[in-house]
């Protein structure tokens, strides 16, 4: 009999059921990456739990059953359905607080607080109901943090078994709304924690406090959150957790993001047929209505329009580079102010700048495959996915040395890295990239080095497995 490790994996979103951002990519791939590590001696039984958002797309859903949680002395129903994804059981948790909040993340923080408290506590109870005991509960971000908190406080109060808990941090500034009243309504006590006072009522800090291990989505972000600059007021607390804090770099779905087979591309290519990449550049320039010129460097960004991503720095840098030869494409939606600024830039430079303010996965892939340089000047970037995709597609990234960008791009080898979060620093990096772009052979070397990187999930999944093992031993 192989040894089995049972892992209950919780997230607010996961591909292919529902995806809003990078968390959805990770929660869709990592559980399957972990299961793929199973061997004759070790079985990793990972099961994914998601809220049954109205927008979730799932085939052949089976009802698993209902149970109730007591909230303010009143029973509220938890409706659980199950589906299977490549052999992995996936549970969808439904109920009134989840239906009441139509979108995955609401602008109404009270609705969000109710929804995710309900989800976190129902997910915790689910394991008992399906008669399957997890060895590890693995949550992601604030939406699931009350599961870790609930697991610890229940263990203390009811003397239940120690189940190892892990929380992965994808974005520290999002801590969730004050949940103190809701926590008490569900019959949990607000514990005496060593968190800063303002944080003692918020889901994420409570989850960090309760978890056995805290994993940032890159080693650099794991160190950054211990500093005042990136620690969002929790740096002292996180420092006090010592060895419990680490960083594991996310992987990429390398089967989906593969320029050799990607059906969205006009011409497929690989490191051995890089010349064919030029077809994609021509098609992209055509599609966007940019003058067709293989010699003009085509700069790109595919991003949420958000100050976190430093989109404003891109606008400012491009404005001061009118004398150099370049074209740019900007794809993304988000902050209406940034969208308007992007469109203004397009108006000012109509034969150079093309802006598409929408979400378009197909166009995004054509941009990775057809443009020359990918701009990602993020003010902070826990991991980042686009820089990995762009390297895989032979598009050279120009990034700020923050978080996962710092861990994935090597200056002068696979891309260009600059330090200061300032548009002048970005402009200087773009200018030096444009210089190298003119030296064909050197540019190609950088493209090939990027394409040769291994960003597959296996490495990350192995690190998580090591962590689970060490925690189970301690528990
Ligand atoms: C968040 C972070 C991003 C990270 C993603 C997945 O969206 O902002 O850097 O790649 O989560 O972990």
């Amino acid at each position: 009999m192989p040894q089995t490790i049972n892992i209950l994996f919780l997230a607010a979103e996961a591909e292919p059921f529902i995806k809003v951002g990078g968390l959805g990519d990770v929660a869709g791939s990592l559980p399957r990456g972990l299961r793929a590590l199973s061997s004759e001696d070790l079985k990793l039984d990972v099961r994914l739990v998601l809220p049954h958002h109205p927008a979730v797309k799932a085939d052949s859903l089976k009802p698993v059953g209902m149970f109730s949680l007591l909230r303010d002395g009143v029973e509220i129903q938890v409706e659980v359905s199950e589906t299977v994804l490549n052999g992995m059981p996936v549970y969808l948790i439904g109920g009134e607080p989840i239906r009441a909040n139509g979108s995955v993340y609401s602008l109404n923080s009270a609705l969000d607080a109710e929804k995710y408290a309900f989800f976190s506590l129902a997910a915790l109870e689910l394991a008992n109901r399906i008669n399957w005991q997890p060895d590890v509960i693995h949550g992601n971000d604030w939406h699931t943090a009350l599961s870790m908190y609930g697991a610890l406080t229940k263990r203390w109060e009811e003397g239940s078994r120690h189940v190892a808990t892990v929380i992965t941090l994808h974005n520290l500034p999002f801590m969730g709304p004050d949940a103190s009243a809701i926590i008490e309504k569900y019959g949990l006590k607000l514990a005496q924690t060593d968190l800063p006072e303002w944080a003692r009522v918020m889901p994420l800090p409570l989850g960090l406090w309760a978890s056995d291990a805290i994993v940032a989505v890159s080693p650099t972000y794991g160190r950054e959150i211990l500093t005042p600059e990136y620690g969002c007021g929790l740096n002292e607390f996180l420092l006090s957790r010592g060895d419990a804090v680490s960083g594991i770099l996310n992987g990429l779905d390398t089967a989906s993001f593969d320029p050799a087979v990607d059906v969205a591309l006009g011409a497929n290519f690989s490191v051995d047929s890089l010349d064919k990449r030029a077809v994609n550049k021509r098609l992209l320039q055509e599609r966007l209505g940019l003058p067709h010129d293989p010699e003009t460097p085509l700069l790109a960004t595919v991003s949420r329009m958000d100050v976190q991503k430093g989109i404003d720095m891109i606008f400012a840098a491009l404005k001061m580079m009118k004398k150099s030869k370049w074209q740019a494409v900007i794809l993304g939606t988000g902050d209406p102010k940034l969208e308007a600024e992007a469109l203004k830039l397009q108006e000012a430079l109509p034969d150079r700048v093309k802006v598409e303010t929408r979400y378009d996965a197909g166009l995004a892939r054509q941009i990775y495959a057809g443009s020359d340089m990918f701009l990602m000047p993020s003010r902070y970037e826990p991991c980042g996915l686009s820089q990995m995709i762009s390297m895989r597609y032979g598009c050279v990234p120009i990034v700020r040395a923050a978080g996962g960008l710092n861990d994935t791009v090597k200056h002068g080898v696979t891309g260009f890295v600059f330090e200061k979060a300032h548009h002048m620093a970005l402009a200087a990096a773009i200018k030096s990239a444009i210089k190298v772009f003119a030296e064909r052979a050197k540019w190609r070397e950088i493209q090939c080095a990027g394409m040769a990187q291994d960003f597959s999930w296996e490495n990350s999944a192995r690190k998580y497995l090591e962590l689970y093992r060490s925690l189970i031993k301690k528990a």
Side-chain angles (χ1 to χ4, degrees):
M1 273 284 278
Q3 187 207 347
T4 301
I5 303 181
N6 291 343
I7 301 137
L8 190 67
F9 194 95
L10 317 173
E13 50 172 299
E15 275 227 286
F17 305 104
I18 182 119
K19 183 191 134 166
V20 179
L23 170 62
D25 291 295
V26 175
S29 321
L30 174 58
R32 285 183 277 171
L34 281 162
R35 286 177 73 92
L37 296 181
S38 293
S39 64
E40 265 178 29
D41 311 316
L42 179 69
K43 183 178 167 209
L44 286 161
D45 187 358
V46 188
R47 303 188 180 192
L48 176 62
V49 190
L50 302 171
H52 202 164
H53 307 287
V56 160
K57 285 197 199 78
D59 300 329
S60 48
L61 269 183
K62 268 194 337 222
V64 176
M66 301 228 272
F67 57 91
S68 58
L69 294 181
L70 266 188
R71 183 179 180 283
D72 251 351
V74 180
E75 290 192 349
I76 43 175
Q77 291 299 315
V78 181
E79 299 140 25
V80 185
S81 347
E82 183 182 355
T83 182
V84 177
L85 176 67
N86 306 134
M88 171 172 70
V90 179
Y91 300 100
L92 294 169
I93 297 215
E96 198 277 319
I98 289 175
R99 275 192 296 277
N101 182 348
S103 49
V104 177
Y105 308 115
S106 169
L107 292 176
N108 179 336
S109 60
L111 281 183
D112 252 14
E114 287 285 350
K115 173 184 190 164
Y116 286 112
F118 171 78
F119 170 67
S120 298
L121 298 174
L124 198 55
E125 185 57 25
L126 169 71
N128 290 328
R129 303 293 169 148
I130 56 172
N131 226 337
W132 175 84
Q133 290 307 317
D135 300 299
V136 181
I137 302 174
H138 187 158
N140 293 275
D141 279 355
W142 79 264
H143 326 101
T144 58
L146 290 181
S147 294
M148 325 290 122
Y149 180 73
L152 179 65
T153 53
K154 280 183 186 197
R155 187 170 97 223
W156 282 354
E157 283 181 18
E158 299 163 18
S160 45
R161 186 173 70 98
H162 185 171
V163 180
T165 49
V166 178
I167 185 158
T168 294
L169 261 183
H170 301 262
N171 213 333
L172 182 60
F174 294 85
M175 299 192 192
D178 181 340
S180 49
I182 299 171
I183 290 172
E184 282 171 1
K185 279 182 191 165
Y186 280 104
L188 296 179
K189 296 227 167 66
L190 213 50
Q192 292 290 324
T193 65
D194 54 355
L195 288 164
E197 201 172 325
W198 57 267
R200 286 178 201 164
V201 294
M202 297 166 86
L204 182 65
L206 289 171
L208 296 173
W209 171 79
S211 293
D212 296 319
I214 298 167
V215 184
V217 287
S218 68
T220 298
Y221 195 53
R223 290 188 299 272
E224 284 171 343
I225 57 176
L226 306 177
T227 67
E229 194 185 348
Y230 295 96
C232 304
L234 293 181
N235 41 296
E236 294 286 333
F237 163 76
L238 288 165
L239 259 176
S240 76
R241 291 295 315 268
D243 288 350
V245 182
S246 66
I248 298 179
L249 194 68
N250 288 335
L252 178 70
D253 182 343
T254 46
S256 165
F257 291 105
D258 181 353
V261 296
D262 191 330
V263 292
L265 309 191
N268 290 114
F269 61 95
S270 70
V271 80
D272 301 319
S273 55
L274 201 48
D275 286 335
K276 286 198 218 151
R277 197 175 182 279
V279 178
N280 294 298
K281 180 166 177 180
R282 183 171 52 74
L283 291 173
L284 182 62
Q285 284 168 325
E286 255 171 48
R287 177 170 179 183
L288 297 169
L290 284 169
H292 173 231
D293 177 8
E295 304 304 324
T296 301
L298 177 51
L299 319 180
T301 186
V302 176
S303 172
R304 245 182 320 118
M305 296 255 185
D306 192 312
V307 253
Q308 178 204 332
K309 301 289 181 184
I311 299 291
D312 52 312
M313 289 186 235
I314 297 182
F315 304 154
L318 293 182
K319 268 187 221 153
M320 53 174 284
M321 291 179 49
K322 285 187 195 145
K323 285 207 190 104
S324 331
K325 208 168 100 170
W326 52 264
Q327 299 173 334
V329 50
I330 299 166
L331 170 65
T333 60
D335 185 338
K337 249 182 68 196
L338 290 173
E339 285 187 16
E341 255 185 74
L343 292 166
K344 246 174 65 193
L345 187 67
Q346 173 178 252
E347 235 168 71
L349 301 167
D351 53 344
R352 292 184 168 218
V353 177
K354 293 295 162 188
V355 175
E356 302 283 345
T357 53
R358 63 197 149 91
Y359 175 81
D360 186 331
L363 177 58
R365 286 164 181 266
Q366 292 164 5
I367 290 174
Y368 291 119
S371 41
D372 299 299
M373 299 168 197
F374 193 85
L375 310 180
M376 211 164 165
S378 306
R379 293 196 161 78
Y380 73 91
E381 195 61 74
C383 179
L385 213 58
S386 312
Q387 82 279 14
M388 295 194 240
I389 304 174
S390 71
M391 279 185 266
R392 218 167 134 68
Y393 281 60
C395 180
V396 175
I398 301 176
V399 304
R400 226 198 113 221
L405 298 173
N406 185 51
D407 293 323
T408 49
V409 182
K410 282 194 193 68
H411 183 68
V413 180
T414 56
F416 295 82
V417 183
F418 64 96
E419 291 286 334
K420 215 167 158 221
H422 194 280
H423 68 272
M424 301 279 273
L426 170 62
I430 299 176
K431 280 185 191 152
S432 58
I434 290 179
K435 250 189 220 143
V436 180
F437 180 75
E439 302 170 42
R440 287 284 120 167
K442 202 163 162 201
W443 189 257
R444 190 174 269 253
E445 223 173 273
I446 296 179
Q447 286 179 296
C448 292
M451 292 178 83
Q453 300 291 306
D454 177 7
F455 294 123
S456 63
W457 267 107
E458 195 182 324
N459 298 331
S460 321
R462 282 198 192 285
K463 296 205 171 98
Y464 275 106
L465 172 58
E466 261 170 55
L467 174 68
Y468 296 158
R469 279 189 153 138
S470 71
L471 295 177
I472 291 169
K473 229 191 242 164
K474 273 191 221 156

